[in-house]
Amino acid sequence: GFEKVTKMIDELVASLKQEQVDDEDKKEYCAKQFDVTEDKTKELQRSIEDLEAVIAEAKEQIVTLGEEMKALEAGIKALDKSVADA
């Protein structure tokens, strides 16, 4: 009787200790995965910021090129007029 109960309690304690070890392993794994995910998120955020800067710079260049084209077109028209008047 009593030995059987003691054995069952010992088995339960052993089972609970193993569950605790398993839980600690899972917790450690999850913590590492959170760190990896956080690092990747920061890296992607930096990439997004870099790309946004490149896009903004490209938009500025488009505006500048458009203005230069207008100036060149005006110069061509002026040249054409001066040639026609000559």
Side-chain angles (χ1 to χ4, degrees):
F2 185 70
E3 289 177 8
K4 185 176 181 181
V5 172
T6 303
K7 181 179 176 186
M8 289 174 64
I9 290 173
D10 289 343
E11 289 173 355
L12 181 60
V13 168
S15 175
L16 290 173
K17 284 182 181 180
Q18 184 59 47
E19 283 183 24
Q20 183 177 4
V21 169
D22 293 344
D23 288 347
E24 288 171 0
D25 290 345
K26 286 179 186 177
K27 181 180 177 186
E28 184 177 329
Y29 171 79
C30 288
K32 286 180 185 178
Q33 291 305 308
F34 276 122
D35 288 343
V36 168
T37 301
E38 187 175 291
D39 291 344
K40 286 181 182 178
T41 300
K42 288 178 183 177
E43 182 180 328
L44 290 172
Q45 186 61 40
R46 282 192 299 270
S47 293
I48 289 170
E49 291 168 0
D50 291 346
L51 291 172
E52 287 173 342
V54 169
I55 290 169
E57 185 178 323
K59 286 181 179 179
E60 289 176 14
Q61 289 177 349
I62 289 170
V63 169
T64 301
L65 290 172
E67 292 169 354
E68 290 176 0
M69 285 176 56
K70 287 179 184 176
L72 289 171
E73 288 171 354
I76 290 171
K77 286 181 184 178
L79 182 62
D80 287 346
K81 184 177 181 194
S82 67
V83 168
D85 291 344

